[in-house]
């Protein structure tokens, strides 16, 4: 067997954040910063885009990542799912591996988040098989929050803290063939087989210049909404009880306004020069709160305005008395116009327990000032958490009534992100949540207080989605119908499918007045003799019927000759096509039932459609079992 040949390394380290991604700014400020530090300290480093088409991640992987985000799924189960996914989608994993390994670097360093941890560990194992000599370093928010369970054979090192001071000595020790020396570094786990030989460790000096973003522009150029991250301050000055920020970033690291403004300028100007025909790029300021230190925020805006940067920026901010009309006007002039804040609750008692800055009256006044100053230039999104363990129905309604007022602030084009309370043992104010039972991570916890039942919390979330439908844009961290499928008991799933069809499915497009008459259809071809049916029609109708032949919104149509089941909306448009073949456990498919292998042809489908498909197939499985 000839060893595979690799080109001479183009650099020493390859750094990446792997999919799935649920947001743009997929690249992550952490890896951009670490690549800068490595390059500045003489360790040539390549940042990569892990897939040409970031949306090519199949739905089963995306769904399993959402389950990891919202539920307390054991690591072994998650890894088994990803191993199966790797077998089913070899092209996806081959592309990620090729992009990571094609440069021939000796160290692969990966940033892990709750959403990509499972796929990243699977990729690490595949790197081990393909290039066992390559050293693997893991770091990032999830490596900090759940360090112990990530210490395993898939990595040579796991960094459970900031990578700033660690990455240079660690990568250098690995490239020099002495990974064990990393044992002497702070918050760094080294695989047991690597022993410390006591030799010297390289030192890291902080970078002296702003990040060179020109090299990063091509990475995001294929995106429909290109965004690049930068960060002014790492960490957060607040201590909201449900958040894990302080664990991930124990101290606030204050950055330089001049450096940050220069980085924003480089991104915006570099983009306009390199891609003059494309719409503007957005710079994401990845600070927890960009106005945590109010005078520093004023300085940043002033510097951007004075330099005439004209960049389009998004940022998280805190909304309380510090938000004045002058502040909003300056932010708008500086281009920081997409702002997100954590409202969380409209009830002052709950806000106080959560340690949110400001009262609800102060937040409301600040938003009114922002609305007046915005002149339609500033867009504000905000997060809402329903179901704090002892949140009463009346307190929940205080939040709803606050949202009703915010919905009218047209100058801010507001949108909400509503979430049932996610718990984690690592929350910095976990004690304030009281004694809870059930899974300690995610949305399924139980308690004896007013909001202790996941079903009730789910209804509060669905209540907001339904109440504001068509009035205020409301999203959820995991699509509402998927989250509700996990939070409601199984005997409510039929209801959920109907609720979803009614509340979530996109409305049929309005017929355009100017649209030309559709061309006449060609004459029908001579009829061919019908194909023999793959499955008896009666069987398909019995198993796939929706209960009623036609519900308000959905219709199922079967074509037994081709083994096809179509799901149509009320207007007869196809929402989804299922292709059925006789069950064969050796062939890959979307799902298997007792009789069928079910394949979803075509590109990826929306989570809503997939949730409906799963409900339908759950019912088929039950009906098959009953036969
Ligand atoms: C800005 C931000 C975002 C932005 C930009 C994200 C991005 N891709 O950069 C957006 C809005 C898109 C976002 C989305 C999400 N976010 Co967010 N986000 C933040 C925030 C506010 C700042 C993150 C940041 O850039 N910090 C500055 C950079 C420099 O830090 P960093 O990336 O963590 O990197 C440092 C270390 O982690 C480490 N490191 C990082 N990577 C690596 C790799 C190696 C090899 C090494 C050695 C070290 C290392 O070293 C870096 C410093 O040197 C934090 C909370 C906070 N208060 O700071 C939450 C936070 C990171 N987000 C969080 C979450 C949960 C999410 C989402 C999953 C939310 C969701 N419901 O979908 C998504 C997933 C994003 C994705 N990767 O697809 C959690 C992370 C929890 C976890 N265990 O994963 C945090 C901590 C908030 C919280 N407390 O819940 N987020
Ligand atoms: S929720 Fe936001 S403001 Fe509150 S501590 Fe976490 S990062 Fe800071």
């Amino acid at each position: 067997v000839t060893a595979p040949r690799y080109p001479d390394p183009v650099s020493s380290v390859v750094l990446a954040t792997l999919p799935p991604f649920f947001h743009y700014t997929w690249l992550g400020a952490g890896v951009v910063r670490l690549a800068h530090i490595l390059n500045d300290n003489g360790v040539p480093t390549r940042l990569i885009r892990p897939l040409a088409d970031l949306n090519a991640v199949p739905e089963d992987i995306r769904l399993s990542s959402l389950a990891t985000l919202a539920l307390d799924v054991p690591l072994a189960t998650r890894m088994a799912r990803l191993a199966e996914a790797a077998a089913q989608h070899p092209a996806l994993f081959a592309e990620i591996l090729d992009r990571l390994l094609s440069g021939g670097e000796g160290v692969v360093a990966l940033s892990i988040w709750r959403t990509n941890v499972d796929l990243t560990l699977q990729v690490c194992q595949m790197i081990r098989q393909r290039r066992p000599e390559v050293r693997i370093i893991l770091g990032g928010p999830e490596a900090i929050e759940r360090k112990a369970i990530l210490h395993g054979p898939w990595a040579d090192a796991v960094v459970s803290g900031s990578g700033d001071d660690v990455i240079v000595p660690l990568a250098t020790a690995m490239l020099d063939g002495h990974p064990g020396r990393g044992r002497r570094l702070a918050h760094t786990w080294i695989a047991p087989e690597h022993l410390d030989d006591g030799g010297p460790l390289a030192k890291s000096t902080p970078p002296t210049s702003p990040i060179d973003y020109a090299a990063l522009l091509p990475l995001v150029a294929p995106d429909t909404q290109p965004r690049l991250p930068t960060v002014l301050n790492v960490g957060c000055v607040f201590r909201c009880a449900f958040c894990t920020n302080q664990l991930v970033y124990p101290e606030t690291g204050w950055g330089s306004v001049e450096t940050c403004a220069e980085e924003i300028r480089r991104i915006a100007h570099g983009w306009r020069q390199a891609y003059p025909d494309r719409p503007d790029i957005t710079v994401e300021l990845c600070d927890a709160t960009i106005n945590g230190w109010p005078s520093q925020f004023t300085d940043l805006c002033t510097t951007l305005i004075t330099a005439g940067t004209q960049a389009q920026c998004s940022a998280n901010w805190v909304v309380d008395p510090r938000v004045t009309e002058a502040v909003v006007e300056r932010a708008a002039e500086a281009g920081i116009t997409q702002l997100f804040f954590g409202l969380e609750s409209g009830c002052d008692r709950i806000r106080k327990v959560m340690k949110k800055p400001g009262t609800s009256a102060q937040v409301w006044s600040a938003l009114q000032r922002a609305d007046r100053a915005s002149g339609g230039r500033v867009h504000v999104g905000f997060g809402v958490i329903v179901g704090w363990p002892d949140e009463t129905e009346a307190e929940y309604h205080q939040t709803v009534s606050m949202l009703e007022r915010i919905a009218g602030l047209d100058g801010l084009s507001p949108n909400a992100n509503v979430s049932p309370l996610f718990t984690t043992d690592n929350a910095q104010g976990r004690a304030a949540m009281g004694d809870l039972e059930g899974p300690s991570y995610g949305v399924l916890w139980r308690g004896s207080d007013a909001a202790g039942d996941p079903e009730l919390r789910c209804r509060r979330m669905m209540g907001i989605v339904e109440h504001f439908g068509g009035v205020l844009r409301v999203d959820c961290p995991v699509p509402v119908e998927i989250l509700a499928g996990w939070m409601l008991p199984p005997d409510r799933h039929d209801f959920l499918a109907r609720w979803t069809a009614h509340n979530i499915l996109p409305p049929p497009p309005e017929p355009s007045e100017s649209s030309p008459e559709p061309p006449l259809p060609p004459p029908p071809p001579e009829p061919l003799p019908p194909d023999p049916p793959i499955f008896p029609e009666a069987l398909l109708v019995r198993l796939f019927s929706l209960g009623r032949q036609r519900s308000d919104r959905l219709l199922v149509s079967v074509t037994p000759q081709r083994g096809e089941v179509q799901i149509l909306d009320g207007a007869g448009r196809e929402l989804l096509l299922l292709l059925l073949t006789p069950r064969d456990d050796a062939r890959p498919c979307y799902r298997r039932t007792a009789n069928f292998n079910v394949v979803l042809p075509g590109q990826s489908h929306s989570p809503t459609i997939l949730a409906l498909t799963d409900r339908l197939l759950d019912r088929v499985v039950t009906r098959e079992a009953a036969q």
Side-chain angles (χ1 to χ4, degrees), residues 236 238-240 242-243 245 288-289 344 356 428:
C236 183
F238 299 104
R239 294 286 173 261
C240 305
F242 52 84
C243 179
N245 174 78
T289 50
E344 317 310 2
K356 288 308 294 179
Q428 52 211 18

Side-chain angles (χ1 to χ4, degrees), residues 7-12 44-46 102-105:
D8 285 340
V10 291
S11 43
S12 304
T45 298
R46 187 169 63 106
S102 61
E105 286 88 353

